[in-house]
């Protein structure tokens, strides 16, 4: 560590001895590297007892691996034992550690389960559909009066289930972040002299959802965090033991902290404890679909007991790209036409270039490599233009990295289709919302779960869903999958379906009852597979896994992951000779739920390294690109729909076309929930006000997302916009302003 060259700001942070410290870090400033170095420095001082650790809390699983590698490398350079004296956790894995040690503190059994996002989404969808069936017409008053009967029926069939799920998910997340059980909410709503219909809907679905979890003996990820805090508050001795175990807490990506995360870490640190929070509130881009909020970090930095520090130097980008990003911040703070959103981006710290002789100097500057394209494109033309540009650029830059970043997945997939049509090498892994590892483990786990409990109709239905997972994602096919699952769950004797006799044949009974031929054909094919899988259950577990994988997966990456899973299960069977299918099923569940790092997987399974894709076009959403960087970056679809500015004529993703008065029902449901929680606050609820506030929140987040997109670029930046599906969209206001400012800056420099 003595040989590491530090910038003055980094040296100041490394002098930290204790207390609470808040670090504001700009993009590309090496905040994770600096925090890793600080963790290693604390361990190297020799002040920790053998049973104490530095606790590092970060946002995502890929960052866990990066921290482990960096801290262990720094310790190795000092001649110390790697992986000793520190622990790295995401918030969810930390909460799991806390609850798993003492589940009885929060009323859980020792063998409680954690449902992953996939199963939680299925439970929520079932609860939402149940609510719609029992409340027909309940939401009709929110629909646009201008809908004709045909469109109205399509909305009822195809749009309302997803909308109700979105509303209920936001409602439940907020309720759990406020530590509100369905019982407490019910009591509060029952005392009100008026009805709050969206809050009532959210609560009923919340109740059904929690009952379904309780039936499974399970919790979801949001419950896990809430219960971890409850456990710490319930047993003071347990809390003191953890405080002793983790005398230093280092928190990365603190701008994405939620209220519960802050409370958990505050409790663990204690009033006079050691807590370092590092983050960049300008990169807080998850607020509209999680309970994260950058105000928690901003408030922390203003506290009198917090040591303020900055990491302002960035060697990532050229001086021109740095200037452009700073201009966006300056305009937002000083001149955005909607004064309420001028707090979206904050400075200081401004992004500053690295000092002379820095080990990571800024790339050579070339202002001509910033292209803020004014040309008006249709959606199709923008795809073609970007593909044309890449086709010209790639042959001359085989050793450069390049990415195209889009606001949404679908736009990225449209570009990928065009690139592949032209045989332009591309990588679209970042467009996927879940890692292949977890998805593959979850699919296999569902089949294992049934084979371990072959008398369970519910688990048979889950195995069917795993087999038909692609069809269950949208439209008409999803309806069929749901209908088949409903039928499977109602079977009284499974052998009448899987191994029927001459007198009892469940499928024949369905056929006689006039069940749809497509459903019957799917059930026949599934029966054939289930018979084969039951025979495969007699094989050694690794061979069984590979046999199932041949029927469940078709993509090469999925099959490769299945091979790794098979190897892991083989090792588990050797370590635990008494394990049978139930235990193996649970082991797959552990992997799928990310309760344990998947030891033995390559970095591609847990993180993404752009340097491994030189000469290949990486296509990603802007959200997924956070924390990454490329030599050349394209930002697409920077129009006033994907990046609204709360101006007249802007439209908003959360305001569905089929709802009246541009209502955002997610925001309105949360407003009703908040109104119900405050004494007399319900009198202040005014329909539409929350939708207007949500516009401002969304505008703030999209300004930060644009900032994140710009700061992914090292040397070259191309920004384009399109007129949208209906041809009436305009360039986003921040893009127009930057075009004008950039012309002025270039003219001055010349």
């Amino acid at each position: 560590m003595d040989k590491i060259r530090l910038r003055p700001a980094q040296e100041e942070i490394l002098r930290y001895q204790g207390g609470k410290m808040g670090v504001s870090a700009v993009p590309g400033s090496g905040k994770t590297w600096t925090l890793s170095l600080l963790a290693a420095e604390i361990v190297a001082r020799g002040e920790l007892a053998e049973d104490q650790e530095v606790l590092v809390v970060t946002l995502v699983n890929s960052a866990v691996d990066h921290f482990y590698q960096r801290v262990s490398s720094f310790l190795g350079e000092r001649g110390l034992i790697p992986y000793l004296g520190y622990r790295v956790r995401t918030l969810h894995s930390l909460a799991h550690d806390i609850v798993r040690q003492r589940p009885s503190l929060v009323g859980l059994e020792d063998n409680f389960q954690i449902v992953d996002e996939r199963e939680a989404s299925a439970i929520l969808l079932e609860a939402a559909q149940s609510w719609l069936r029992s409340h027909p017409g309940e939401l009709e008053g929110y629909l646009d009066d201008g809908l004709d009967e045909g469109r109205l029926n399509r909305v009822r069939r195809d749009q309302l289930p997803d909308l109700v799920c979105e509303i209920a998910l936001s409602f439940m997340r907020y309720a759990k972040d406020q530590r509100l059980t369905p019982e407490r909410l019910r009591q509060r709503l029952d005392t009100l002299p008026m009805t709050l219909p969206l809050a009532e809907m959210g609560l009923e679905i919340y109740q059904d959802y929690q009952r379904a979890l309780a039936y499974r003996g399970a919790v979801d990820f949001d419950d896990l965090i809430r219960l971890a805090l409850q456990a710490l508050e319930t047993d003071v001795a347990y809390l003191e033991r953890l405080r002793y175990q983790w005398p230093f807490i280092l928190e990365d990506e603190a701008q994405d902290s939620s209220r519960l995360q802050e409370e958990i870490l505050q409790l663990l640190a204690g009033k006079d404890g050691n807590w370092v929070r590092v983050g960049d509130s300008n990169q807080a881009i998850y607020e509209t679909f999680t309970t994260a909020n950058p105000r928690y970090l901003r408030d922390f930095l203003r506290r009198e007991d917090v040591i303020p520090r900055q990491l302002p130097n960035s060697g990532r980008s050229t001086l021109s790209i740095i200037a452009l990003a700073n201009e966006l911040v300056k305009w937002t703070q000083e001149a955005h036409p909607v004064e309420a959103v001028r707090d979206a981006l904050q400075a200081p710290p401004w992004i500053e270039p690295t000092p002379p002789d820095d080990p990571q100097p800024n790339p050579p500057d070339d202002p001509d490599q910033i292209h803020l394209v004014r040309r008006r494109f249709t959606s199709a033309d923008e795809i073609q233009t970007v593909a044309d540009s890449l086709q010209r650029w790639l042959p001359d830059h085989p050793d450069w990295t390049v990415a195209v970043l889009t606001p949404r997945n679908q736009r990225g997939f449209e570009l990928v289709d065009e690139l592949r049509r032209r045989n332009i090498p591309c990588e679209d892994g970042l467009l996927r919302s879940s890692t292949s590892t977890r998805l593959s483990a979850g699919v296999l786990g569902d089949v294992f779960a049934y084979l371990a409990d072959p008398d369970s109709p519910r688990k048979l239905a889950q195995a069917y869903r795993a087999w038909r997972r692609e069809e269950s994602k949208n439209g008409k096919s999803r309806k069929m999958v749901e209908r088949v699952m409903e039928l499977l769950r109602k079977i009284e004797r499974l052998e009448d379906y899987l191994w029927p006799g001459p007198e009892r044949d469940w499928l024949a009974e369905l056929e006689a009852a006039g069940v749809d031929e497509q459903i019957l054909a799917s059930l026949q094919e599934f029966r054939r597979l289930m018979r084969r899988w039951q025979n495969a259950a007699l094989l050694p577990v690794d061979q069984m896994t590979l046999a199932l994988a041949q029927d469940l997966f078709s993509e090469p990456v999925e099959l490769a992951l299945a091979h790794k899973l098979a190897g892991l299960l083989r090792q588990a069977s050797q370590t635990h000779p008494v394990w049978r299918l139930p235990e193996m099923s649970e082991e797959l569940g552990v992997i799928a739920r990310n309760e344990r790092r998947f030891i033995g997987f390559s970095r591609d399974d847990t993180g993404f390294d752009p340097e491994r894709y030189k000469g290949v076009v990486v296509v990603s959403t802007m959200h997924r690109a956070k924390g990454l960087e490329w030599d050349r970056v394209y930002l697409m679809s920077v129009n006033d729909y994907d990046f609204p500015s709360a101006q007249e004529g802007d439209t908003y993703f959360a305001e569905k076309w089929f709802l009246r008065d541009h209502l955002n029902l997610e925001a309105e449901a949360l407003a009703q929930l908040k109104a119900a929680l405050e004494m007399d606050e319900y009198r202040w609820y005014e329909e539409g006000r929350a939708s207007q506030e949500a516009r401002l929140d969304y505008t703030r987040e999209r300004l930060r997302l644009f900032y994140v997109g710009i700061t992914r670029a090292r040397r070259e930046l191309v920004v384009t916009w399109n007129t949208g599906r209906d041809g009436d969209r305009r360039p986003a206001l921040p893009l127009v302003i930057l075009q004008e400012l950039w012309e002025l800056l270039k003219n001055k420099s010349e």
Side-chain angles (χ1 to χ4, degrees):
M1 254 192 292
D2 295 334
K3 297 179 182 179
I4 295 175
R5 293 174 58 189
L6 299 173
R7 298 167 189 157
Q10 292 171 325
E11 289 179 341
E12 200 170 17
I13 291 169
L14 266 293
R15 286 196 288 269
Y16 167 81
Q17 295 296 314
K20 293 177 173 61
M21 182 167 71
V23 182
S24 301
V26 302
S29 61
K31 63 181 178 62
T32 301
W33 185 89
T34 304
L35 202 62
S36 300
L37 190 56
L38 177 59
E41 178 66 25
I42 294 171
V43 174
R45 289 175 194 161
E47 299 172 3
L48 300 180
E50 289 186 1
D51 54 351
Q52 289 183 313
E53 300 169 317
V54 176
L55 174 64
V56 180
V57 180
T58 189
L59 184 65
V60 294
N61 285 293
S62 58
V64 171
D65 286 331
H66 294 161
F67 267 110
Y68 270 114
Q69 292 163 9
R70 284 173 174 160
V71 179
S72 67
S73 174
F74 292 144
L75 290 175
E77 291 172 10
R78 294 289 293 266
L80 299 174
I81 301 173
Y83 303 108
L84 194 63
Y86 67 100
R87 178 182 303 208
V88 188
R89 289 290 186 266
T90 64
L91 176 65
H92 288 113
S93 59
L94 173 63
H96 177 259
D97 287 349
I98 292 169
V99 175
R100 184 63 77 182
Q101 287 188 49
R102 297 289 304 281
S104 60
L105 287 176
V106 292
L108 294 177
E109 299 292 333
D110 288 345
N111 61 344
F112 76 91
Q113 305 295 311
I114 305 171
V115 298
D116 64 4
E117 293 98 330
R118 192 166 50 90
E119 187 169 1
S121 296
I123 296 170
L124 177 58
L125 178 61
E126 190 171 332
Q129 290 175 328
S130 175
W131 184 88
L132 282 168
R133 286 192 297 269
S134 59
H135 297 78
E138 187 83 10
L139 295 178
E140 300 283 311
Y142 291 105
L143 299 182
D144 189 334
D145 291 338
L147 295 175
D148 59 42
E149 193 61 30
R151 297 176 81 190
L152 186 59
N153 287 332
R154 286 197 298 274
V155 166
R156 290 167 178 156
R157 182 183 66 244
D158 299 330
Q159 304 291 339
L160 284 186
D162 289 337
L163 176 61
V164 171
C165 279
E166 291 167 6
I167 295 170
L169 181 60
S170 294
F171 185 96
M172 293 191 307
R173 279 180 171 165
Y174 183 83
K176 291 183 179 184
D177 195 57
Q178 298 296 312
R179 305 171 68 186
L180 295 165
T181 63
E183 293 74 24
R184 285 184 60 195
L185 278 177
R186 181 71 275 161
Q187 290 173 1
R188 179 57 187 156
L189 288 175
D190 286 344
T191 65
L192 300 181
M194 64 181 294
T195 300
L196 298 172
L198 294 174
E200 287 286 349
M201 179 189 78
L203 174 56
E204 288 186 39
I205 296 173
Y206 185 15
Q207 289 172 321
D208 283 351
Y209 177 87
Q210 291 301 114
R211 277 195 290 266
L213 289 181
Y215 174 75
R216 292 165 169 79
V219 296
D220 64 13
F221 285 132
D222 293 321
D223 284 323
L224 199 60
I225 297 170
R226 173 180 60 85
L227 294 172
L229 180 57
Q230 182 181 331
L232 296 177
E233 292 175 336
T234 300
D235 190 330
V236 175
Y238 182 39
L239 172 60
E240 289 299 328
R241 178 162 66 82
L242 293 179
R243 283 178 177 171
Y244 171 80
Q245 182 180 349
W246 299 318
F248 289 88
I249 298 174
L250 310 184
E251 180 187 3
D252 193 23
E253 305 288 3
Q255 76 279 351
D256 296 313
S257 179
S258 68
R259 187 180 71 89
L260 286 187
Q261 173 168 336
E262 186 173 70
E263 290 187 14
I264 288 172
L265 297 185
Q266 178 72 63
L267 261 183
L268 288 173
K271 182 179 178 181
D272 301 315
N274 307 309
W275 182 16
V276 178
R277 308 186 76 181
V278 181
D280 179 6
S281 63
N282 290 346
Q283 296 189 72
I285 56 175
Y286 302 118
E287 185 179 356
T288 58
F289 50 89
T290 70
T291 55
N293 196 307
R295 75 169 181 268
Y296 298 116
L297 175 60
R298 291 172 179 171
D299 291 345
F300 181 83
L301 291 167
R302 288 192 288 264
R303 282 170 43 174
E304 291 185 0
D305 63 336
V306 171
I307 305 164
R309 292 289 182 263
Q310 294 182 357
L311 284 173
N313 302 106
S314 174
R316 170 183 293 168
S317 306
T318 65
L319 299 186
S320 292
I321 293 170
I322 288 175
L324 193 71
N326 283 336
E327 285 295 334
L328 177 61
V329 176
K330 182 179 180 182
W331 170 78
T332 299
Q333 288 184 320
E334 299 177 359
H336 196 289
V338 180
E339 191 170 346
V341 303
R342 290 183 181 177
D343 61 351
L345 293 167
Q346 306 216 341
W350 301 95
I351 307 177
E352 299 176 11
T354 56
D357 302 321
D358 192 88
Q360 187 193 3
N362 298 89
D365 194 31
D366 186 352
D368 290 334
Q369 293 307 320
I370 290 183
H371 306 278
L372 307 178
V373 181
R374 293 179 179 271
R375 180 180 164 189
R376 174 190 180 99
F377 294 111
T378 66
S379 292
D381 287 343
E382 186 186 29
I383 294 283
Q384 295 299 319
T385 299
V386 170
D388 288 343
S389 174
L390 287 164
Q391 201 159 29
R392 291 191 302 270
W393 183 87
L394 275 171
D396 296 329
H397 301 83
D399 296 324
W400 283 39
T401 57
V402 58
V404 182
L405 309 183
T406 62
R408 306 186 196 285
N409 272 350
Q410 184 55 41
R411 191 68 175 153
F413 285 125
E414 290 168 0
L415 176 66
V416 168
D417 288 343
E418 178 60 24
L419 295 179
R420 288 179 174 161
R421 189 185 68 79
R422 299 183 184 208
N423 294 318
I424 296 175
C426 61
E427 164 60 35
D428 66 351
L430 285 174
L431 290 174
R432 310 184 194 286
S433 60
S434 301
T435 66
S436 299
T437 302
R438 295 184 63 205
L439 180 60
S440 301
V443 167
L444 282 167
D446 281 342
V447 177
F448 265 68
Y450 169 70
L451 294 174
D453 187 8
D455 293 325
S456 170
R458 180 180 65 85
K459 292 180 180 178
L460 181 64
Q462 289 174 336
Y464 177 85
R465 182 185 62 195
W467 175 52
R468 289 298 192 191
R469 60 194 178 280
E470 293 301 322
E471 289 91 332
S472 65
K473 291 179 180 177
N474 51 55
K476 185 177 179 181
S477 296
R478 183 176 71 188
K479 297 289 185 184
M480 191 198 80
V481 171
E482 291 166 358
R483 175 58 177 152
V484 172
M485 291 180 65
E486 181 183 5
L487 290 170
L488 290 172
R489 282 193 291 264
K490 293 179 178 178
I491 300 177
E492 294 183 2
R493 286 165 36 98
L494 290 185
E495 60 265 34
D496 294 344
Y497 165 47
L498 296 175
W499 303 95
E503 297 180 359
R504 300 182 67 124
D505 187 333
W506 181 72
L507 269 185
E509 292 173 5
L510 291 183
E511 185 174 9
V515 170
D516 183 85
E517 291 184 2
Q518 189 177 4
I519 289 177
L520 290 173
S522 184
L523 282 167
Q524 288 169 346
E525 175 65 11
F526 185 56
R527 177 170 66 181
R528 183 184 64 80
L529 283 175
M530 282 308 313
R531 289 173 172 177
R532 187 158 73 210
W533 294 346
Q534 286 183 339
N535 289 329
L538 302 174
L539 298 171
V541 67
D542 55 329
Q543 296 179 33
M544 170 189 167
T545 302
L546 295 177
L548 297 180
Q550 295 301 315
D551 291 326
L552 291 167
F553 306 127
S554 58
E555 294 294 325
V557 65
E558 293 175 325
L559 292 168
L561 287 167
H563 275 79
K564 293 182 178 180
L565 287 165
L568 184 76
L569 293 176
R570 181 178 64 251
Q571 293 173 13
S573 68
Q574 293 169 348
T575 306
H576 306 281
V578 298
W579 277 16
R580 296 295 179 262
L581 275 179
E583 291 81 12
M584 294 298 176
S585 174
E586 173 57 23
E587 186 70 4
L588 283 172
V590 166
I591 296 165
R593 293 187 297 267
N594 266 352
E595 291 177 28
R596 184 179 305 149
R597 292 173 64 227
F598 198 176
I599 304 300
F601 268 25
S602 70
R603 290 182 62 183
D604 275 352
D605 299 314
T606 54
F608 189 90
D609 182 4
E611 292 300 310
R612 299 183 59 155
Y613 296 93
K614 292 180 178 180
V616 175
V617 182
V618 174
V619 184
S620 171
T621 62
M622 295 178 194
H623 282 94
R624 296 279 287 174
K626 184 171 169 287
L628 304 175
E629 59 189 63
W630 292 267
D631 293 312
R632 183 178 177 92
V633 168
Y634 294 77
L635 303 182
M636 291 181 63
S637 300
V638 186
N639 58 31
D640 60 354
Y641 175 71
D642 287 302
F643 295 87
S645 293
Q647 297 280 280
E648 186 174 350
D650 287 351
T651 53
Y652 298 83
F653 182 72
E655 297 175 11
K656 307 303 183 184
W657 61 269
F658 52 86
L659 297 176
R660 61 172 172 81
D661 302 325
H662 303 287
L663 288 177
N664 177 337
L665 287 196
E666 282 187 58
E668 296 297 325
L670 290 182
Q672 291 188 9
L673 171 58
K674 294 171 187 176
L677 301 181
E678 298 293 333
M679 189 65 67
D680 295 331
E681 179 76 9
Y682 62 87
R683 296 177 185 170
W684 302 344
Y685 173 72
E686 177 186 345
E687 185 182 274
R689 186 172 61 181
S691 297
Q692 294 299 316
E693 288 296 322
R695 288 184 171 189
L696 299 178
D697 288 339
Y698 190 68
T699 296
R700 294 184 186 99
E701 186 178 288
R702 301 314 269 193
L703 280 164
R704 295 193 289 265
L705 187 64
F706 190 28
Y707 177 83
V708 166
I710 290 171
T711 55
R712 299 312 92 196
R714 288 175 179 156
R715 309 187 194 201
E716 302 178 358
L717 177 68
V718 183
V719 186
T720 61
W721 67 281
N722 64 65
T723 57
R725 182 175 57 187
D726 297 325
D728 57 353
R729 300 273 44 102
R730 301 164 296 181
L733 180 60
L735 174 57
V736 174
I737 297 299
L738 287 186
Q739 288 168 339
E740 296 171 355
L741 291 173
W742 189 242
E743 288 300 321
L744 290 173
L745 289 172
K746 285 183 66 178
N747 291 336
K748 284 183 180 180
S749 65
E750 293 171 359

